[in-house]
Amino acid sequence: MTNHAIHFEQVSKSYGSFDVVENFELSVQPGEFLVLLGPSGCGKSTILKMVSGIEAPSSGEIHVNGKMVNYTLPRNRDVAMVFQNYALYPHKSVFENIAYPLLTRRASRPSKAETEQRVREAADIVEITSQLDKYPDALSGGQRQRVALARAIVRDPAVFLMDEPLSNLDAQLRDTMRQQLIALHRRLGKATIYVTHDQLEAMTMASRIVVMNEGKVQQSGTPEEVFQRPANLFVAGFIGHPRMNFLTAHSAGGNSVQVGKVTLRTQADAGPAGRPLTIGLRPTDGQYDRAEGNAISGRIIQSEFTGADAIQTLDFGGPSLLRIRKQGHRKDEIGTDATVTFHPKDIHLFDENGARI
Ligand code: ADP
Ligand code: MG
């Protein structure tokens, strides 16, 4: 395990009898942008804190650049963390905030001139150079986030740890910062663990996504893999917007499943007839007005206009309603009959335990 930027070996963390993280295993490669994705409270921040040294694991080992760091002081770990709330010092100027990690070094503390140069370089990268004399309370949220990023960059760490760095920004700025963070990562090429509960951030930024729930890894894969082949019901429901439809079904033998009165052909083998299943259908996979595929007919009972398209709710007499994205929108479609088709490959099957079939 010499070449991993970060390596977790059976890492667990509990507070009293509460297991926050259970047997977390992961290797992050140099240059990789890994996103830890999961709902609030699933243990994401705890994992980052254990890498940076703010928290100690209850068991297991953490390695940074091939070196076990469980007993290494935070400032001697080759990592820099960016927090959601920026954590800037209010009584220090922007310059002093960025310089802080260099000034507090015990060993290899740079000279005044070098410190000045490195602060300016870091400030340049995040385009905050004109604000160096200001104090944090005179900055906007976006500018504060840039200062926090510059403070991480100035350390020139082997690894960046980012804990929901964009969640305090408004939607438009978040879009811009997302693109800038990707560009920054390309430029610096450092391994990064980026934590978020926002699937859009994960899908757009990650080279690999690790989906977590309740302290456990649910799936690890590229954005395409976790979207196209979600490993279980949790991942299937967490990734994708609008949310995947889940319908109670059973196997009709082989490649057929029965959902209410409708029989659907699937690509995966549904197992022996009668086996209870859940099927997943993405609203974005349903096609109106197409002859081939599995047809589901029903009545449109609701249509929510979203701009470019509409989210329609179809009552097909099945165990639950079906939501379908439709391009274009007409209010007078409510109450009319419609048929949508799904390609067999777009019918996701899950067994009684919620695992993908
Ligand atoms: P996330 O970042 O995914 O939202 P956290 O890692 O912050 O989740 O927290 C995971 C769980 O651990 C939460 O239920 C939280 O309440 C609990 N937790 C975090 N820190 C402590 C602590 N110091 N003592 C007790 N419980 C904690
Ligand atoms: Mg958190």
Side-chain angles (χ1 to χ4, degrees):
M1 63 179 138
T2 41
N3 286 327
H4 304 314
I6 312 166
H7 177 73
F8 297 85
E9 211 169 283
Q10 291 276 319
V11 172
S12 296
K13 176 74 180 177
S14 35
Y15 294 105
S17 61
F18 179 49
D19 298 327
V20 176
V21 175
E22 289 179 60
N23 290 323
F24 188 76
E25 297 237 274
L26 176 69
S27 297
V28 183
Q29 306 311 316
E32 190 174 13
F33 196 99
L34 185 121
V35 174
L36 262 186
L37 172 68
S40 176
C42 75
K44 307 180 296 295
S45 295
T46 303
I47 288 170
L48 286 197
K49 286 179 192 164
M50 290 191 288
V51 180
S52 66
I54 301 168
E55 295 279 358
S58 306
S59 61
E61 289 189 359
I62 298 172
H63 299 241
V64 175
N65 264 344
K67 185 174 154 253
M68 206 265 268
V69 295
N70 284 42
Y71 308 111
T72 307
L73 287 172
R75 66 163 175 272
N76 296 332
R77 298 184 186 196
D78 205 359
V79 306
M81 186 146 161
V82 180
F83 299 91
Q84 173 180 352
N85 62 4
Y86 321 133
L88 301 178
Y89 299 104
H91 303 299
K92 293 184 193 295
S93 68
V94 167
F95 181 96
E96 291 163 334
N97 265 286
I98 299 174
Y100 193 75
L102 299 177
L103 301 178
T104 52
R105 270 197 191 160
R106 288 270 170 80
S108 66
R109 188 182 308 163
S111 68
K112 203 163 170 238
E114 194 194 333
T115 301
E116 167 115 16
Q117 192 201 337
R118 286 177 64 174
V119 169
R120 287 194 173 276
E121 276 172 17
D124 253 359
I125 290 174
V126 297
E127 296 171 20
I128 199 93
T129 318
S130 61
Q131 314 291 322
L132 285 173
D133 295 332
K134 291 193 179 161
Y135 284 79
D137 65 6
L139 302 180
S140 71
Q143 288 172 326
R144 282 179 213 174
Q145 190 51 268
R146 285 166 201 275
V147 177
L149 276 169
R151 187 177 55 184
I153 293 168
V154 83
R155 294 182 62 166
D156 191 25
V159 166
F160 283 102
L161 307 172
M162 302 194 182
D163 194 351
E164 314 230 16
L166 307 185
S167 42
N168 285 357
L169 306 178
D170 63 50
Q172 202 177 340
L173 190 55
R174 227 166 28 223
D175 269 9
T176 316
M177 283 297 288
R178 225 169 46 220
Q179 291 162 17
Q180 293 187 355
L181 279 177
I182 297 168
L184 178 68
H185 173 253
R186 252 191 234 123
R187 172 169 176 183
L188 301 176
K190 298 294 177 65
T192 302
I193 302 184
Y194 183 101
V195 157
T196 184
H197 65 274
D198 179 346
Q199 52 134 349
L200 180 67
E201 275 179 26
M203 292 296 282
T204 52
M205 298 175 83
S207 51
R208 187 156 54 109
I209 299 178
V210 171
V211 186
M212 292 193 60
N213 189 36
E214 295 181 345
K216 296 193 202 76
V217 172
Q218 305 293 312
Q219 186 170 9
S220 164
T222 62
E224 293 78 10
E225 284 163 356
V226 295
F227 184 78
Q228 287 161 6
R229 297 184 56 80
N232 57 38
L233 284 174
F234 177 81
V235 177
F238 199 74
I239 293 181
H241 184 83
R243 191 170 185 269
M244 188 184 272
N245 295 285
F246 293 123
L247 304 168
T248 306
H250 61 264
S251 171
N255 291 82
S256 301
V257 295
Q258 192 70 32
V259 189
K261 293 193 186 76
V262 183
T263 309
L264 303 173
R265 273 180 306 111
T266 61
Q267 219 160 46
D269 187 342
R275 177 191 193 186
L277 303 165
T278 299
I279 67 164
L281 301 173
R282 289 205 189 277
T284 44
D285 287 334
Q287 298 278 338
Y288 288 88
D289 312 318
R290 183 180 62 179
E292 75 272 28
N294 291 293
I296 301 179
S297 298
R299 178 153 296 184
I300 299 167
I301 59 167
Q302 201 182 5
S303 189
E304 301 156 75
F305 183 52
T306 65
D309 45 29
I311 310 301
Q312 301 199 326
T313 306
L314 199 70
D315 182 354
F316 70 102
S320 34
L321 301 170
L322 197 58
R323 297 182 84 219
I324 305 289
R325 187 187 65 181
K326 184 178 190 188
Q327 314 232 305
H329 177 64
R330 292 202 344 252
K331 273 235 150 51
D332 61 6
E333 285 175 332
I334 296 171
T336 63
D337 292 335
T339 298
V340 284
T341 58
F342 285 87
H343 194 280
K345 76 169 167 47
D346 293 329
I347 297 178
H348 303 263
L349 298 185
F350 302 95
D351 69 15
E352 273 179 296
N353 301 316
R356 181 186 192 83
I357 298 175

